[in-house]
């Protein structure tokens, strides 16, 4: 399969599409906008189909990286263009390629200014995201990881709401500050190990003292991305100001960079430091779950509430990652995937009414079910998935994470489980105020239910949410071997650094 | 083939659910869709209950339990769970009861809801509920049980809030979901603990391993405890939520905001008994923990008396029955607590019939009284709706445990078993049960007399409109009444009598030494007759107070006004919880947001940093005044400083 470089194709096809839009019709604005939309939809659609091929041909029996591509890039520095996916990253690639066309479709009507540039930004972002998940060289990884910031910064800053500039800067500075430390760590790793090749580094044993610093540097970057408490405050602002599709990508994919990073780097490369810092992670995560759930309860803005609920869910993810057992890690990955679908869907749901009324305030709504029954049903389903009702995708991940953590620390498990009570409270409370009640507000009297285009947007997400809840094996089977391998790698690395420490004494 | 019994309701729900969206504005078309939804759900349910009868014969009567495995659900490391249907005696008893009662309520709903504009949605919810309930009772692992558990909770939420225009209904719906989630918190932790102990959550695996783990301990919350006790108590918290036991009961009375058929199906006959079913289902675990069983007995007995006291003063006809349900659930729990699991399930089954009958009868009254629910505005209608009146009598006689009605057999068995347990808590449960039996009879006849007898207290317009319900409502009531009449007599030998061991097979485990049920058949005669005597006394008291001396209740209420208010306000649980949990949560949320995120994290972090940078820049900018002498002066100071520094270091 690797002969014809499928990964590169998936990564760079959107970029080519972006170039096509850029060079395309320069005349009439209207025509240019229409062309841009069409090109973006086709490119991202084909990219998605290509990525299905990835899934279809994926070998679930091996933990090796698959569809590997390796080309010399800077041979003198021992840096190469190295790509590949395993059971941990492959599904994230699919999540990205699925959400991008959905975003394009969701922006069809709501974006009317600078459509060309908007679509270009989204396609470039897709390139960066897929590249990030399939990079097997630290330098390649870092370029994609940071590169995502630029289109996202522009999307929030140009097409965002009232306080978009504040939000864009906050987003950019927060994430950049973390990443700078990671860059330093990458340099340090390069000077220590002499390579930036990720699979090689996974097997490399960094000295325990150095691990501590490296771990913290990576943590700074990932914690902001996740985001973990207390570096989460950029997220609500970014979400509130971002256009709908921006929020979808932000919640659906960008937030997963952190969790993915922990799995790909912190666990296998810095095993002993991971063990040391696990209590810190658990503490911050539990605070995140309870704190942000309570904050979500007090929100008046729908997007802000969903943003805070995302922080709470990500708290579950970080707990799961650091349980270091099968259920916990698989649960964390699964939760990231399902949260990618569910939170994306919830932001789209808010987008639907925002497009119609231009308000995100919960209090401007009420009684929507009378005019929008299909909408109410879709909203209900995604809300239930968000609160982790069994039978929906949200349950499996959350449950596995909790099973995982209960084996490690019952206090953390119990405190995190309170999140499921609070979660259902704020979600139902919002749903009631938006959907139920009498329809009395003048502005809502003529509001229209979902149109065809919107149903097309939601249909795949509805199917996925139920599929992930009823037959999760389709996704879990992909990750079993890789996760087992990760845990083994971790144990080996831990044993090695313990030996190293003993030898040093 | 038999699996159709479980999945037909789902099919019906999906069909009716689709019909919700195709009705459109056209009146006639909508009416057609309404009828299609009624027929498809009622048809699917009827078929399901017929299949369930065959299933019952095959599995319970002929003794051929089996498990149908459908496909893998969650598989992660040692945690392997499939979608599977475990069909043993306990399961099929529930399947039969659920499908039959549900079918009756489906038909009843055709009549009861015929004015409602959302018929397909209602029918769809009812069928969906039935599906989840069936998944719950046939689960072969704890996670699937939890699936059904949460599923019924969801539909309960949807149906309580069915009339979503009403703020009270919405509030009650959310309350039900959230309070149940509090219970689920315990349930989930219980499942985790089971997994840690057994490395499996499949019922067959854990049951066969339970004996070996009888003395095992588990590390939780910083201590080491008896594993099965921890598990039992955690799981019981879940059961308390779903079955509205003391402490987690506050949602049930409010749930009466839903349409009456919902109250009958979900909040009387089936869903609220899920907690009972769960404990009985897990008898092989609970049996090994005396502590857990003791707690169950005490909580059950206390709930039985607690709810009965409140039931005596409520004025809303449905709330009286709701408290009665809570009280009866308490009976079932203390039966389980003394290891008389089959007696608990027996009462569950008979109760499903007579309580559904009572609720639907109340619904018939409400229907006749133009949606009036307050008993203080009823009265004097028994001649106008004689069939409903007679049916209410049958339901009440069964509830009060009068021979030969169903409740007599099941309730007496429970009380006798509690007495025969011979333990302190057994005795407590017995006496609480006897007292509650007295109160039960009292409030039942209080209800009958206030509703049907005396001078009419409704206005003329309502009274002119009072009418007997249509056949489609009455016929299901008659079927349920037949159950309330004969289910006890017919079921006695199988459930708790001489055929019990054969009937239950392996589905319920009772350890040697836990022989309360066996001894129940040989208790002293006064124990056998006491429940009947107190029930009679309760009925008599109700007649005295509400028929012969109608001034008495008001006089009592005013002379014991504190007690009366305490009961009327349901022991102030709602107010207490509001003060302890609801307000603090919102208060905390608001403050963490404004102060925590806003003032502290953002204030010190990004905004603070930005402000500090800006401030510094401004100060720097201020230095650039543009006056030459300022710059010259600064330079001079600089030169002086450098020279001074140079001299000092040289000198030093």
């Amino acid at each position: 399969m690797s002969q014809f470089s499928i990964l590169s194709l998936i990564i760079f096809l959107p970029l080519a599409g972006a170039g096509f839009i850029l060079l395309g019709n320069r005349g009439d604005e209207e025509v240019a906008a229409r062309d841009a939309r069409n090109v973006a939809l086709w490119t991202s659609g084909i990219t998605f189909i290509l990525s299905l091929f990835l899934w279809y041909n994926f070998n679930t029996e091996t933990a090796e990286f698959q569809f590997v591509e390796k080309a010399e890039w800077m041979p003198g520095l021992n840096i190469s263009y190295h790509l590949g996916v395993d059971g941990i990253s492959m599904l994230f690639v699919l999540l990205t390629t699925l959400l991008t066309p959905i975003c394009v479709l969701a922006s069809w009507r709501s974006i009317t200014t600078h459509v060309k540039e908007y679509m270009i930004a989204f396609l470039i972002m897709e390139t960066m995201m897929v590249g990030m998940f399939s990079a097997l060289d630290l330098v390649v990884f870092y370029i994609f990881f940071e590169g995502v910031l630029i289109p996202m910064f522009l999307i929030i800053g140009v097409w965002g709401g009232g306080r978009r500039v504040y939000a864009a800067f906050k987003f950019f500075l927060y994430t950049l500050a973390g990443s700078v430390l990671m860059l330093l760590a990458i340099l340090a790793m390069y000077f220590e190990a002499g390579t930036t090749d990720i699979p090689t580094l996974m097997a490399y044993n960094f000295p325990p003292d150095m691990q501590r610093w490296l771990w913290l540097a990576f943590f700074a970057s990932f914690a902001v991305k996740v985001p973990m408490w207390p570096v989460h405050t950029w997220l609500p602002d970014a979400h509130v100001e971002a256009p709908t599709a921006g929020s979808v990508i932000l919640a659906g994919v960008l937030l997963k960079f952190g969790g993915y990073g922990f799995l790909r780097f912190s666990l296998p490369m810095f095993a002993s430091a991971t063990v040391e810092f696990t209590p810190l992670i658990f503490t911050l995560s539990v605070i995140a779950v309870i704190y942000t759930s309570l904050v979500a309860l007090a929100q008046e803005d729908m997007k802000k509430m969903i943003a805070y609920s995302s922080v709470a869910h990500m708290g579950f993810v970080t707990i799961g990652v650091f349980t270091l057992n099968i259920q916990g890690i698989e649960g964390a990955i699964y939760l990231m995937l399902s949260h990618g679908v569910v939170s994306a869907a919830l932001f789209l749901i808010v987008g639907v009414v925002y497009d119609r009324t231009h308000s995100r305030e919960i209090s401007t709504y009420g009684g929507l079910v009378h005019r929008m029954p299909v909408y109410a049903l879709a909203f209900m389903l995604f809300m239930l998935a968000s609160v982790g009702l069994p039978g929906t995708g949200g349950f499996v991940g959350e449950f596995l994470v909790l099973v995982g953590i209960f084996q490690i620390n019952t206090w953390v498990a119990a405190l995190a489980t309170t999140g499921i009570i609070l979660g259902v409270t704020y979600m139902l409370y919002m749903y009631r105020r938006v959907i139920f009640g009498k329809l009395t507000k003048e502005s809502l009297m003529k509001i229209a239910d979902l149109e065809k285009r919107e149903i097309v947007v939601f249909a795949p997400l509805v199917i996925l949410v139920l599929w992930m809840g009823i037959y999760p094996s389709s996704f879990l089977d992909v990750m079993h071997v890789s996760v087992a391998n990760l845990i083994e790698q971790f144990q080996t690395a831990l044993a090695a650094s313990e030996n190293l420490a003993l030898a040093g004494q | 083939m038999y699996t159709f019994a479980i999945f037909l309701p789902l099919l019906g729900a999906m069909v009716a659910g689709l019909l919700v969206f195709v009705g459109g504005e056209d009146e006639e078309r909508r009416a057609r869709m309404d009828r299609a939804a009624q027929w498809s759900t009622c048809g699917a349910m009827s078929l399901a209950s017929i299949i369930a009868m065959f299933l019952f014969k095959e599995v319970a009567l002929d003794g051929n339990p089996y498990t149908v495995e459908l496909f893998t659900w969650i598989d992660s490391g040692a945690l392997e769970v499939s979608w599977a249907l475990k069909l043993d005696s306990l399961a099929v008893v529930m399947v039969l009861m659920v499908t039959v009662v549900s079918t009756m309520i489906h038909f009843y709903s055709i009549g009861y809801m015929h004015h409602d504009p959302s018929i397909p949605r209602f029918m769809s919810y009812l069928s969906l509920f039935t599906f989840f309930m069936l998944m719950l009772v046939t689960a072969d692992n704890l996670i699937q049980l939890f699936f059904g558990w949460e599923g019924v909770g969801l539909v309960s939420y949807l149906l309580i809030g069915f009339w979503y225009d009403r703020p009270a209904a919405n509030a009650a719906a959310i309350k039900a979901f959230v309070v149940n989630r509090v219970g689920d918190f315990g349930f989930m932790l219980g499942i985790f603990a089971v997994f840690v102990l057994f490395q499996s959550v499949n019922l067959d695996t854990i049951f066969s391993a339970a004996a070996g783990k009888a003395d095992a301990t588990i590390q939780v919350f910083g201590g080491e405890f008896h594993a099965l006790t921890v598990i039992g108590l955690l799981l019981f918290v879940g059961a308390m939520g779903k079955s509205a036991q003391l402490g987690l009961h506050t949602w049930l009375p409010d749930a009466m905001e839903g349409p009456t058929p919902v109250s009958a199906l979900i909040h009387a006959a089936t869903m609220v008994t899920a907690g009972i079913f769960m404990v009985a289902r897990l008898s092989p675990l609970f049996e090994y923990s005396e502590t857990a069983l003791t707690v169950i007995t005490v909580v059950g007995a206390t709930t039985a008396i607690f709810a009965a006291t409140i039931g005596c003063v409520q004025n809303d006809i449905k709330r009286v029955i709701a408290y009665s349900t809570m009280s009866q659930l308490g009976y079932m729990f203390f039966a389980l607590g003394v290891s008389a699991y089959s007696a608990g399930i027996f009462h569950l089954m008979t109760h499903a019939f007579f309580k559904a009958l009572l609720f639907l009868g109340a619904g018939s009254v409400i229907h006749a009284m133009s949606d009036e629910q307050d008993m203080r505005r009823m009265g004097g209608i028994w001649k106008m709706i004689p069939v409903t009146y007679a049916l209410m009598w049958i339901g009440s006689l069964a509830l009060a445990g009068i021979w030969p009605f169903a409740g007599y057999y099941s309730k007496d068995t429970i009380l006798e078993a509690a007495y025969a347990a011979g333990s302190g808590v057994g005795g407590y449960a017995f006496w609480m049960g006897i007292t509650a039996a007295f109160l039960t009879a009292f409030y039942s006849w209080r209800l009958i007399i206030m509703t049907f007898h005396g001078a009419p207290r409704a206005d003329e317009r309502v009274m002119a409109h009072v009418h007997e319900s249509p056949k489609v409502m009455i016929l299901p009531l008659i079927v349920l009444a037949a159950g309330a009449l004969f289910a006890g007599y017919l079921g006695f030998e199988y459930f708790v009598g001489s055929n019990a061991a054969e009937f239950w097979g392996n589905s319920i485990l009772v350890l040697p030494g836990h022989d309360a049920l066996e001894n129940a058949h040989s208790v002293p005669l006064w124990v056998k007759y006491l429940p009947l005597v107190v029930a009679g006394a309760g009925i008599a008291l109700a007649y005295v107070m509400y028929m012969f001396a109608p001034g008495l209740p008001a006089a009592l209420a005013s002379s014991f006004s504190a007690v009366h208010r305490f009961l009327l306000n349901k022991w102030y649980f709602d107010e207490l919880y509001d003060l302890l949990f609801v307000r603090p949560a919102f208060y905390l949320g608001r403050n963490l947001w404004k102060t925590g995120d806003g003032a502290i994290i953002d204030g010190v972090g990004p905004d603070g940093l930005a402000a500090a940078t800006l401030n510094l820049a401004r100060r720097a900018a201020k230095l650039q005044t543009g006056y030459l002498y300022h710059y010259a002066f600064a330079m001079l100071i600089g030169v002086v400083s450098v020279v001074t520094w140079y001299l000092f270091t040289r000198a030093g």
Side-chain angles (χ1 to χ4, degrees):
Chain A
M1 266 335 110
S2 57
Q3 282 87 341
F4 80 105
S5 313
I6 176 109
L7 276 177
S8 285
L9 194 61
I10 296 174
I11 293 173
F12 291 108
L13 189 65
L15 195 62
F20 198 74
I21 296 177
L22 188 65
L23 299 174
N25 196 316
R26 285 166 183 281
D28 184 25
E29 181 126 1
E30 196 98 324
V31 179
R34 198 193 59 210
D35 288 352
R37 289 187 186 113
N38 281 322
V39 172
L41 184 62
W42 276 98
T43 321
S44 54
I46 294 170
T47 311
F48 174 61
I49 292 167
L50 282 173
S51 65
L52 285 179
F53 180 84
L54 211 62
W55 191 10
Y56 184 74
N57 285 298
F58 189 84
N59 182 357
T60 56
E61 308 285 315
T62 171
E64 298 287 308
F65 286 100
Q66 302 181 37
F67 310 100
V68 174
E69 293 169 33
K70 193 165 185 178
E72 289 197 340
W73 185 18
M74 295 178 248
L77 298 172
N78 205 6
I79 296 171
S80 53
Y81 174 75
H82 191 182
L83 301 176
V85 288
D86 66 353
I88 296 172
S89 54
M90 195 272 282
L91 290 169
F92 287 108
V93 172
L94 262 95
L95 179 68
T96 311
T97 55
L98 170 75
L99 289 181
T100 307
I102 287 179
C103 282
V104 171
L105 210 53
S107 315
W108 211 255
R109 291 266 175 77
S110 51
I111 299 297
T112 48
T113 53
H114 306 294
V115 178
K116 262 173 80 168
E117 290 77 5
Y118 181 85
M119 293 299 168
I120 290 173
F122 264 91
L123 289 176
I124 293 179
M125 200 150 60
E126 181 172 21
T127 291
M128 300 292 174
M129 293 185 293
V130 176
M132 202 291 299
F133 286 121
S134 38
L136 288 185
D137 187 282
L138 269 180
V139 175
V140 179
F141 168 82
Y142 189 76
I143 291 171
F144 285 129
F145 188 84
E146 290 301 289
V148 177
L149 278 185
I150 299 162
M152 195 42 131
F153 174 71
L154 292 174
I155 287 169
I156 299 174
V158 177
W159 291 274
R163 294 175 73 220
R164 57 179 181 262
V165 176
Y166 171 76
F169 271 101
K170 200 171 179 183
F171 162 70
F172 197 88
L173 291 178
Y174 246 121
T175 39
L176 194 72
S179 307
V180 168
L181 293 171
M182 184 170 76
L183 183 63
L184 284 177
I186 290 177
L187 289 174
M189 288 163 78
Y190 175 67
F191 289 125
E192 164 80 19
T195 178
T196 53
D197 190 54
I198 291 174
T200 317
L201 286 169
M202 282 177 172
Y204 188 87
N205 292 313
F206 291 100
D209 293 340
M210 188 176 177
Q211 276 193 28
R212 203 167 295 140
W213 292 111
L214 293 175
W215 191 95
L216 282 172
F218 274 81
F219 170 73
S221 178
F222 297 149
V224 170
K225 273 276 184 345
V226 165
M228 297 179 72
W229 187 87
V231 288
H232 65 281
T233 56
W234 64 269
L235 185 71
D237 284 320
H239 268 311
V240 166
E241 300 308 329
T244 301
S247 293
V248 168
I249 291 293
L250 196 56
V253 186
L254 292 202
L255 295 195
K256 278 71 203 179
F257 280 23
Y260 174 73
F262 282 129
L263 288 168
R264 184 59 84 223
F265 302 100
S266 306
L267 262 54
M269 295 183 193
F270 322 127
S272 71
T274 297
V275 173
E276 259 174 62
F277 287 114
T278 296
L280 172 73
I281 294 275
F282 285 164
T283 311
L284 295 182
S285 306
V286 165
I287 293 176
V289 169
I290 297 173
Y291 179 109
T292 52
S293 297
L294 285 169
V295 173
L297 202 56
Q299 295 308 308
E300 301 297 333
D301 179 309
M302 286 198 262
K303 274 183 129 181
K304 216 162 195 169
M305 206 214 77
I306 300 168
Y308 274 109
S309 91
S310 286
V311 183
H313 280 113
M314 288 300 120
F316 279 95
V317 169
T318 42
I319 289 173
V321 167
F322 284 85
T323 54
L324 300 166
N325 57 33
I326 295 258
Q327 287 89 22
I329 292 180
E330 290 193 351
I333 299 174
Y334 205 86
L335 188 55
M336 283 196 267
L337 293 169
S338 72
H339 178 263
V341 175
V342 173
S343 67
L346 283 172
F347 279 116
L348 288 168
I349 284 281
V350 178
V352 167
V353 285
Y354 183 77
D355 283 351
R356 286 159 171 70
T357 64
H358 297 283
S359 168
R360 297 180 310 259
E361 292 287 312
I362 295 174
S363 56
T364 51
Y365 296 101
L368 286 184
V369 65
H370 293 275
R371 296 272 319 164
M372 311 176 73
V374 180
Y375 177 75
L377 179 69
F379 195 168
M380 170 69 69
L381 181 77
F382 295 127
M383 173 190 80
L384 295 172
S386 172
V387 303
L389 197 86
T392 64
F395 171 71
V396 179
E398 227 168 73
F399 189 82
L400 285 176
V401 165
L402 291 170
V403 168
I405 185 63
F406 194 87
Q407 299 167 57
I408 309 292
N409 187 326
T410 43
W411 277 114
V412 176
L415 290 171
T417 310
T418 57
I420 68 158
I421 304 174
L422 293 168
V424 83
T425 314
Y426 61 72
M427 272 297 178
L428 293 182
Y429 186 49
M430 171 181 78
Y431 190 83
R432 168 192 168 182
R433 287 183 290 166
V434 173
I435 299 290
F436 290 150
K438 284 200 174 74
L439 186 74
T440 51
K441 301 213 168 60
E442 202 54 48
S443 54
L444 305 175
M445 286 302 175
K446 291 225 167 83
I447 198 164
D449 205 349
L450 297 185
E451 58 181 46
K452 279 212 183 75
R453 176 185 58 88
E454 289 165 330
I455 290 177
V456 172
V457 167
F458 285 114
L461 300 175
V462 168
I463 293 170
L464 258 179
V465 163
L466 293 174
W467 181 3
M468 292 185 83
I470 295 169
Y471 192 66
S473 293
S474 307
F475 311 94
L476 283 172
D477 284 349
V478 172
M479 53 183 100
H480 286 325
V481 180
S482 293
V483 170
N485 180 57
L486 171 66
I487 292 171
E488 203 182 297
Q489 256 177 355
F490 173 80
Q491 301 294 0
T492 324
L494 191 63
S497 57
E498 268 162 18
N499 287 339
L500 220 62
L502 285 179
Q505 278 168 8
Chain B
M1 164 66 194
Y2 290 132
T3 53
F4 277 103
I6 316 300
F7 289 99
L8 272 170
L10 179 64
L11 188 69
M14 284 160 75
V15 171
L18 282 177
L19 293 173
V20 172
F21 297 101
V22 298
E25 298 293 322
D26 182 39
E27 199 114 325
E28 201 165 311
R29 189 176 147 87
R30 280 182 78 113
R32 262 207 319 278
M33 292 308 148
D34 289 353
R35 255 193 311 284
Q38 286 161 346
W39 278 112
S40 53
T41 48
C42 290
M45 278 314 305
S46 307
L47 207 55
S49 39
I50 292 168
I51 298 173
M53 285 171 198
F54 285 106
L55 182 66
F56 180 77
K57 181 183 181 307
E58 166 88 20
V59 174
L61 298 182
D62 298 351
N64 297 318
Y66 65 105
T67 301
V68 186
E69 186 146 338
L70 300 171
F71 53 87
T72 310
W73 185 16
I74 301 174
D75 166 17
S76 172
L79 186 76
E80 289 172 56
V81 172
S82 290
W83 293 103
L85 308 175
K86 181 180 170 69
L87 300 167
D88 63 358
S89 298
L90 181 58
V92 296
V93 165
M94 295 296 287
V95 169
L96 183 63
M97 185 277 281
V98 170
T99 48
V100 169
V101 173
S102 175
T103 307
M104 292 309 124
I105 290 171
H106 270 75
F107 279 106
Y108 178 90
S109 302
I110 294 179
Y112 190 82
M113 299 296 284
H114 79 281
H115 287 311
D116 200 278
S118 308
I119 290 172
R121 185 163 60 95
F122 186 76
M123 300 310 284
S124 173
Y125 285 172
L126 278 188
S127 284
L128 186 65
F129 168 80
T130 313
F131 165 71
F132 279 125
M133 190 69 204
L134 292 172
M135 287 302 276
L136 192 165
V137 298
T138 57
D140 101 315
N141 61 70
L142 286 173
I143 305 184
Q144 189 179 328
L145 185 66
F146 191 65
F147 166 79
W149 191 269
E150 291 276 284
V152 291
L154 163 69
V155 190
S156 160
Y157 157 80
L158 290 172
L159 281 167
I160 296 169
F162 181 76
W163 288 313
Y164 43 62
D165 283 350
R166 303 182 183 172
N170 287 325
I174 292 183
K175 189 174 179 183
F177 210 134
V178 172
V179 174
N180 267 295
R181 275 260 159 155
V182 176
D184 295 346
F185 169 81
F187 194 174
M188 282 181 90
L189 291 180
I191 298 178
F192 306 149
V194 166
F195 180 70
V196 169
L197 186 65
F198 294 101
Q199 287 299 299
S200 170
V201 289
N202 294 312
L203 296 181
D204 291 335
T205 319
I206 58 180
F207 290 169
S208 53
K213 303 275 187 189
D215 300 318
T217 57
I218 191 170
Q219 290 274 354
V220 280
F221 307 126
E224 189 153 353
F225 302 98
H226 180 230
L228 288 170
T229 299
V230 171
I231 289 169
L233 291 176
L234 286 171
L235 292 173
F236 180 59
V237 173
M240 282 173 67
K242 195 110 292 182
S243 296
Q245 292 300 287
L246 191 60
L248 293 179
H249 66 280
T250 53
W251 65 273
L252 184 60
D254 289 14
M256 297 302 127
E257 290 293 338
T260 308
V262 172
S263 313
L265 178 62
I266 301 183
H267 305 121
T270 56
M271 184 187 85
V272 290
T273 61
I276 318 289
F277 168 79
M278 187 246 268
V279 175
R281 170 49 93 204
L282 299 178
S283 58
L285 300 186
F286 282 96
E287 273 297 280
Y288 291 100
S289 172
E290 295 295 338
T291 315
L293 288 176
T294 306
V295 170
I296 293 175
T297 313
V298 172
V299 171
T302 312
T303 308
I305 185 80
F306 158 80
T309 58
I310 299 177
C312 293
V313 299
Q314 296 296 312
N315 292 316
D316 182 315
I317 184 167
K318 282 176 72 181
R319 285 195 180 230
V320 174
I321 309 179
Y323 279 105
S324 155
T325 304
M326 250 174 80
S327 170
Q328 297 301 311
L329 292 167
Y331 277 93
M332 296 176 213
F333 269 117
F334 73 69
L336 305 175
V338 297
S339 292
Y341 301 98
S342 46
I345 295 292
F346 187 32
H347 195 52
L348 187 164
M349 195 265 296
T350 59
H351 174 259
F353 284 102
F354 62 71
K355 192 51 72 65
L357 174 65
L358 280 171
F359 260 122
L360 295 183
S364 188
V365 170
I366 295 167
H367 197 69
M369 299 293 292
S370 310
D371 293 329
E372 180 59 68
Q373 300 198 9
D374 193 329
M375 297 191 296
R376 286 170 299 188
R377 287 196 286 274
M378 294 182 180
I381 53 172
W382 72 274
K383 278 184 187 152
M384 302 159 101
I385 45 173
V387 182
T388 304
Y389 177 63
L391 291 168
M392 288 296 275
W393 260 88
I394 294 176
S396 298
L397 285 167
L399 172 63
I402 306 296
W403 185 86
F405 294 89
Y408 164 79
Y409 292 93
S410 52
K411 198 175 180 176
D412 268 25
T413 312
I414 288 179
L415 287 168
E416 285 159 20
Y419 179 85
S423 57
V425 289
Y428 170 74
F430 175 73
W431 286 110
M432 289 297 131
I434 291 289
T435 318
F438 170 73
L439 295 174
T440 305
F442 172 73
Y443 65 64
S444 296
W445 267 265
R446 174 178 175 265
L447 184 149
I448 286 185
I449 297 165
M450 281 182 80
T451 306
F452 293 101
H453 294 279
R457 295 181 293 276
D459 60 38
E460 281 172 23
R461 196 181 47 77
V462 172
M463 288 307 290
H465 204 71
V466 174
H467 59 283
E468 190 61 272
S469 297
K471 278 204 190 68
V472 73
M473 286 167 73
I474 293 296
L475 285 176
L477 287 181
I478 291 174
V479 173
L480 293 173
L485 266 168
F486 303 117
Y489 172 73
L490 291 176
F492 185 78
E493 291 301 324
Y494 289 106
F495 279 77
V496 291
S498 49
N499 297 339
E502 200 185 328
F503 178 78
W504 291 112
N506 289 325
S507 56
I508 286 175
L509 176 81
V510 179
L511 289 182
H514 288 180
D515 38 17
L517 191 56
E518 270 166 55
N519 298 343
H521 301 299
S522 49
V523 289
L525 270 186
W526 66 268
V527 174
K528 278 192 186 307
Y529 290 116
L530 191 57
L532 269 178
V533 172
V534 295
I539 296 171
L541 183 66
Y543 268 99
V544 169
M545 280 179 66
Y546 290 91
M547 197 169 245
F548 305 130
L552 204 53
L556 274 176
S558 58
S559 49
F560 296 98
S561 68
V563 178
H564 186 250
R565 232 176 324 154
F566 183 66
L567 293 180
L568 202 60
N569 285 304
K570 304 159 283 185
W571 294 31
Y572 292 104
F573 265 97
D574 282 327
E575 288 74 8
L576 186 70
Y577 285 175
D578 194 50
L579 203 69
L580 282 182
F581 303 114
V582 182
R583 281 161 199 277
F586 278 92
Y587 176 82
L588 266 176
R590 182 154 293 280
N591 276 291
L592 288 176
W593 176 32
K594 295 289 186 195
T595 313
D597 269 19
I600 298 177
I601 296 179
D602 274 355
V604 176
D607 292 349
L609 214 61
T613 315
L614 218 59
N615 198 9
L616 207 68
R618 278 215 192 90
R619 277 160 196 257
K622 265 199 191 129
L623 293 176
Q624 300 168 19
T625 53
Y627 295 111
L628 197 64
Y629 65 90
H630 279 179
Y631 297 134
F633 187 65
M635 269 163 82
L636 196 67
I637 291 176
V639 170
V640 170
S641 318
V642 170
V643 171
T644 315
W645 176 74
Y646 178 76
L647 287 176
F648 267 94
T649 46
R650 278 296 294 266

